[in-house]
Amino acid sequence: MQDKELYSQLLGVKEPWKVSDVNIDLAGLKVDIYIEWPKEVQAPCPECGKLYGIYDHRDVRKWRHLDTMQFQTILHCRIPRVECKEHGAKSIEVPWSEKQSRFTMLFERLAIDVLLACQNQTKARELLRLSWDEVHNIQERAVDRGLSRRKEEKVQYLGVDEKSFLKGHQYATITYDLGESKVLDVARDRKEETLTGLLGKMTDKQKASVDAVVIDMWEPYKASVDKNLPEADIVHDKFHIVKHLCEAVDKVRKMENRMLSKDGIDLLKGSKYLWLTNPCNWTDKQKESFKELKGQELKVGRAWTIKEMFSKLWEYTYEKSARNFFGKWHWWATHSRLKPMADVAKMIKRHLENILTYLKHRITNAVAEGLNSKIQQVKSAARGFRNFENYRIAILFFCGKLNMYPQESQ
C-alpha cells in the first residue's frame, strides 16, 4: 500500500487514474508499476470530450519511465475505450505519454537532453540503455514535433547547399535559415525537383518572408529558386566562387610544375597549399617560402595575384563601382595567357548579376559550411548512414534547433 501511494505521488497520477500495483524485481533491477482507470468512472472521448461509460479495454501496454534509483521503471496499463455516439469506439488519452509512444513524456525529455548533450547516438544509447531502434524512434518523434511547430517562422535569408551522402556521387540537398543558423530540411539528390520539393514544404507566409537565397552556381538550384521564390534575390555564394578561383590557380601550378620538372627543376614541389591558403593564415615558414618564389616570375604567381585581386570585389558598397572593378579584372584575367584563369573569369561573368547581389545583402553560406562540419561529426559518430531517412532525422535533430519536447498534459 505504501509503495502504491509513493509511486502515485512520484508519478503525479491524478484521480481517477490510480496505481493498482507495484512489483520490484531486485535481481533484475526493475520496477513494474501498474496503473488503471476505475471501471465505474466515466471517461472522456478524446475527440469531443463528452463523458461515457467504459466500453472495454485494450491489451496491456508498456512505457519506459525515468529510472527509480538504479532500477529501470516500466509503467503498465490496459487503456480503457469509450464508445462515443459521434466518433465510435476510442481509446482515452493517458496523461503520461503521447499516442503511439513506448516512452513516457518525462523519459522522452530526458532522452532528448542526453542525445543533444552527447552529440553522439552511440554514447547516448549506452547511457539510456536503449536499442538503436528505440533511439531512432525517439529522434523521429522529436523531429516530427519540432517541424510541426515551426510552420509560421519567417526566413529572411535562405541558404541552399549540397552534402555528400554516400560514395558514388550521391548527394543530399540541405536548406538553411542563415539568420538563425539552423537546418530547415534535407532531401535526397541535388536536382531541380529536389529543391522544389523542399521549398514546397514552406508556407506561403514563409516564402513571402524570404529576401534572398544563397546558392552556388549550380543551374538546377537557380532554376528552382526562380520558379518557387520569384521575389527573392539570388546570391551566389562567394566561398564557392573563391573555390573555383583556387582550383584554377592549382591547375596553373600543376601545368607549370610539369614543365619545370622536365628540366629537372623542383621549384614548385610541395608548394600546393601555399598558393591555396589565405595569406592571413600563413605560417612564418610559408611567408618565407612565398617571398623566395615571388621574384621567380612564375605563371602560378600571376594566377595567384589574379585570384587575390578578385577578393577586392567584396569590399565595394556601390554596384556601379563594383562593375567597373570587375570589368578591369575580367580583362586582366582573360588576357593573362593563363587558360584556367581566363575560363573561370568567363564563368564568373556569366553569373555576375547574381554575384553582385552580395553587395546588397552581404550574406554567404558560411553558416551552412559551419553546420556541415557538425553534420559530418554526427555522420562519423554514427559510423555512416545507409538509410537516407535516418540521415535526415539525425541532421534535423542535432542541427535544426527544433522545439522537440513532448507537450506534457495539464
Side-chain angles (χ1 to χ4, degrees), residues 197-236:
L198 290 175
L199 297 178
K201 293 182 179 181
M202 299 175 68
T203 65
D204 292 340
K205 186 176 180 180
Q206 285 177 315
K207 290 180 181 179
S209 71
V210 178
D211 289 338
V213 184
V214 182
I215 59 173
D216 59 18
M217 291 180 280
W218 182 240
E219 283 299 329
Y221 285 166
K222 183 179 182 301
S224 179
V225 174
D226 283 338
K227 291 178 183 177
N228 295 282
L229 298 173
E231 300 302 316
D233 290 335
I234 291 176
V235 180
H236 285 317

Side-chain angles (χ1 to χ4, degrees), residues 131-154:
S131 68
W132 283 110
D133 286 342
E134 288 172 328
V135 169
H136 177 69
N137 178 266
I138 288 172
Q139 285 186 300
E140 186 175 29
R141 290 171 54 79
V143 167
D144 286 343
R145 279 192 295 266
L147 291 177
S148 68
R149 292 168 181 169
R150 64 148 60 149
K151 290 295 185 182
E152 295 304 314
E153 293 179 1
K154 292 183 178 180

Side-chain angles (χ1 to χ4, degrees), residues 85 177 241:
K85 293 180 180 179
D177 182 336
I241 296 166

